[in-house]
Each structure stands twice: as structure tokens, then as C-alpha cells.
């Protein structure tokens, strides 16, 4: 696990699907979203991500609320529960987790402690950026590379 750092991130246009249920179904929703965008010839411009609006300290991984997102360029008509929105720019506390998904909670504990100790407040939903493992069909949970990002303010 890496150290926590702060980054200023620019706004990001995404296509997304709102989900409620097991976190383990992120990959299935990403595949559905990816197929939809390919069918509409919408270009995906970055790594897949998910937004988690609920407090990660009390999140039930079997009954989570989350948006599964893909960064895009272009426009499409919203249909079948697939929508688009602009994620806000701003300062983010970030940490990268490498290893099994089951150990991701340890990274959340580290970053939330860092936010508190450094005088920040969380200013919005957690983002999980899937660099390896989750979004790839057949990706092994032992090989995940996930960046956790929290919007922060003082």
C-alpha cells in the first residue's frame, strides 16, 4: 500500500449506472456499461471507477449504493438506466491499494485516518479507480490495483 497524497483533479465527464447491492458486482456492471458505450460508439477516455456515497466505515458490502462509471468523450441519449454526469474538480486525498480486494478496507482506514489527522474533511463520495483486476473480465481479485480518492476540504 502506498502513502496518502493530495492531488488536484480536473472535472471528469462520465457515463454511469446507479447500483445497489453487492460490491462484488461492480465488474458485471462495468461490462454492461462498456458494451452500451461501444454500441453507441462513445469513446472511453480513462480507467473505470465507482463512486460510493455512503460512509465507508459503516458500508455493508452486500447492500452498498454505488455508481459504476467510465470516463467518456462525446454525448449519448440516456437509456436503460445508463446516464452521464460531470464529476467535480477539486482537491483529493489519494492512496493506491495493490493486492486482494478483501484488504481494501485497510487502505480505507489509512486514508480516513490521514484525512482526520491532517485537518481535512471529506467533501463527497469516495472514488475507487480500477487500474487492474476489477474491470477486466476474469481479473483475479489477488491482482487488484485500486486507487481510492476522497474529495477533501479544510
Amino acid at each position: 500500500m502506498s502513502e496518502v497524497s493530495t492531488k488536484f483533479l480536473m472535472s471528469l465527464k462520465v457515463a454511469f449506472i446507479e447500483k445497489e447491492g453487492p460490491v462484488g458486482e461492480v465488474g458485471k456492471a462495468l461490462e454492461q456499461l462498456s458494451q452500451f458505450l461501444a454500441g453507441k460508439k462513445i469513446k472511453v477516455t480513462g480507467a473505470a471507477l465507482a463512486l460510493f456515497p455512503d460512509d465507508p466505515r459503516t458500508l455493508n458490502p452486500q447492500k452498498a449504493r454505488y455508481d459504476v462509471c467510465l470516463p467518456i468523450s462525446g454525448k449519448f441519449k440516456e437509456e436503460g438506466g445508463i446516464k452521464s454526469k460531470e464529476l467535480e474538480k477539486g482537491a483529493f486525498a489519494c492512496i493506491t491499494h495493490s493486492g486482494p480486494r478483501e484488504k481494501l478496507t485497510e487502505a480505507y482506514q489509512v486514508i480516513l485516518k490521514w484525512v482526520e489527522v491532517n485537518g481535512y474533511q471529506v467533501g463527497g463520495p469516495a472514488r475507487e479507480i480500477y487500474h487492474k483486476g476489477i474491470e477486466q473480465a476474469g481479473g483475479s481479485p489477488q491482482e487488484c490495483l485500486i486507487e481510492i480518492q476522497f474529495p477533501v476540504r479544510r
Side-chain angles (χ1 to χ4, degrees):
M1 183 177 345
S2 64
E3 296 293 317
V4 177
S5 63
T6 55
K7 297 179 184 177
F8 186 86
L9 301 175
M10 299 307 294
S11 61
L12 184 65
K13 184 177 180 182
V14 297
F16 72 100
I17 303 174
E18 295 172 320
K19 300 298 278 181
E20 191 166 336
V23 173
E25 294 183 2
V26 166
K28 195 182 336 179
L30 280 171
E31 195 156 318
Q32 177 189 352
L33 182 57
S34 186
Q35 288 175 357
F36 172 86
L37 294 173
K40 299 290 183 188
K41 298 190 179 359
I42 301 294
K43 183 178 179 183
V44 175
T45 60
L49 64 138
L51 305 174
F52 294 88
D54 298 323
D55 186 334
R57 293 171 284 227
T58 58
L59 183 96
N60 177 341
Q62 295 306 310
K63 297 180 181 176
R65 292 185 312 136
Y66 54 94
D67 292 348
V68 175
C69 310
L70 285 169
I72 60 168
S73 65
K75 296 180 182 180
F76 63 90
K77 184 177 178 186
E78 297 180 356
E79 62 182 76
I82 298 176
K83 306 173 185 174
S84 65
K85 65 181 169 185
E86 187 100 7
L87 303 183
E88 291 186 32
K89 66 181 177 181
F92 287 77
C94 306
I95 190 168
T96 300
H97 165 75
S98 179
R101 178 146 181 98
E102 300 82 50
K103 298 216 178 227
L104 191 60
T105 54
E106 293 172 16
Y108 271 98
Q109 292 168 353
V110 169
I111 193 170
L112 289 169
K113 178 79 171 166
W114 183 94
V115 166
E116 181 183 320
V117 166
N118 287 279
Y120 288 100
Q121 292 181 331
V122 172
R127 295 180 185 182
E128 289 183 3
I129 315 302
Y130 304 116
H131 296 290
K132 182 180 175 190
I134 291 290
E135 81 282 6
Q136 299 165 350
S140 166
Q142 298 299 319
E143 301 172 10
C144 290
L145 183 61
I146 301 170
E147 182 178 4
I148 301 169
Q149 302 173 339
F150 277 99
V152 290
R153 61 180 183 267
R154 293 231 185 235

